[in-house]
Amino acid sequence: MRPATQGTLPALVPDLSGKFNPSDATPWTILFVLTLITLLPALVMAVTPLVRLMVVFHFLRQALGTQTAPSNPTLLGLGLVMTWFLMQPVLIQVDRQAVSPYRQGLVTGWDAIDRGAVPVKAYLLRYAREKDLALFTSAAQLGRPGRPEDLPMQVVVPAYMLSELKAGFTIGAVLYLPFLLIDMVTAAVTTSIGMFQLPPVVVSTPLKILLFVMVDGWNLVAGSLLKSF
């Protein structure tokens, strides 16, 4: 067996100089990306307005009585597009402060995460109620911070989600009332004229859909949701 020649020896000997080899970070980058993709749906629901939008859309569909129209993928697509529209200023700040420096090699991955969390936390604190922040601060047994920005993300994120759920239920309840009034009037009319064999929902559903279309309901709902942020 021929011994290795001098020209092939450097390729077989590992680099012991202590310098960082970019190829060594490739497996960790792949692991980080795969983990991020797995957690992406939960992250989108936790730190974006998608929670409020989906709650309001659910209440709207229940109030109309259409059950499956619009379908869940349609509402989810509309919610994601509106979420991207609302979060665009935050995403621009994250790209400017964290993503671009990381691509240029100016900061490490952990530094990029810390920098990117600053505008996201500022957005979450803008809509998180003080009552919800106090709840999770007390549950985490943390001292009263000097300013809200000093709170950790594990306190800010659940407080933001509770605040968004409350806002979504509030908007949905107000949205539900006009359609509930139509149901009550329809039930009273059908009962008074003796139409016991015909369920009131069969009559009220077309009336609610017609009213919703006449007032351009989707435009009003989308406009109200955008103005609530």
Side-chain angles (χ1 to χ4, degrees):
M1 183 175 180
R2 297 177 57 186
T5 61
Q6 186 177 1
T8 60
L9 185 59
L12 301 177
V13 178
D15 184 11
L16 302 179
S17 61
K19 295 182 179 179
F20 174 74
N21 189 358
S23 62
D24 296 339
T26 301
W28 293 104
T29 303
I30 296 175
L31 178 62
F32 177 76
V33 171
L34 292 178
T35 304
L36 184 61
I37 292 176
T38 304
L39 299 176
L40 186 60
L43 291 176
V44 171
M45 294 294 295
V47 298
T48 66
L50 187 59
V51 175
R52 183 189 304 190
L53 299 179
M54 296 308 298
V55 169
V56 173
F57 291 157
H58 174 76
F59 271 99
L60 175 62
R61 189 170 62 181
Q62 293 295 320
L64 287 173
T66 54
Q67 303 301 325
T68 58
S71 61
N72 289 330
T74 302
L75 295 179
L76 181 59
L78 177 60
L80 288 174
V81 172
M82 293 182 63
T83 298
W84 174 79
F85 178 81
L86 291 169
M87 292 294 294
Q88 191 172 8
V90 180
L91 295 177
I92 292 176
Q93 293 182 12
V94 172
D95 181 73
R96 185 184 303 116
Q97 298 180 16
V99 179
S100 294
Y102 178 73
R103 289 177 178 175
Q104 298 173 6
L106 301 178
V107 296
T108 62
W110 291 112
D111 291 336
I113 293 176
D114 293 337
R115 290 188 177 192
V118 174
V120 175
K121 182 187 290 188
Y123 171 82
L124 299 180
L125 290 173
R126 189 185 311 165
Y127 299 103
R129 299 187 306 166
E130 184 177 355
K131 183 178 181 181
D132 296 326
L133 291 172
L135 171 64
F136 286 98
T137 302
S138 176
Q141 298 182 355
L142 299 176
R144 183 178 180 86
R147 55 177 186 170
E149 289 77 10
D150 296 333
L151 291 172
M153 290 294 287
Q154 60 264 29
V155 171
V156 177
V157 172
Y160 169 79
M161 292 189 68
L162 282 185
S163 302
E164 287 296 282
L165 286 173
K166 181 181 184 301
F169 271 79
T170 302
I171 298 174
V174 174
L175 189 63
Y176 210 109
L177 292 178
F179 300 104
L180 179 61
L181 180 62
I182 294 177
D183 287 333
M184 295 175 61
V185 172
T186 303
V189 171
T190 55
T191 303
S192 63
I193 62 179
M195 297 177 60
F196 299 103
Q197 301 297 328
L198 184 64
V201 67
V202 177
V203 180
S204 63
T205 299
L207 295 177
K208 290 187 292 186
I209 295 175
L210 180 61
L211 175 64
F212 189 73
V213 172
M214 289 179 59
V215 300
D216 198 4
W218 285 112
N219 182 276
L220 293 176
V221 171
S224 300
L225 286 172
L226 293 177
K227 292 177 182 178
S228 66
F229 290 96

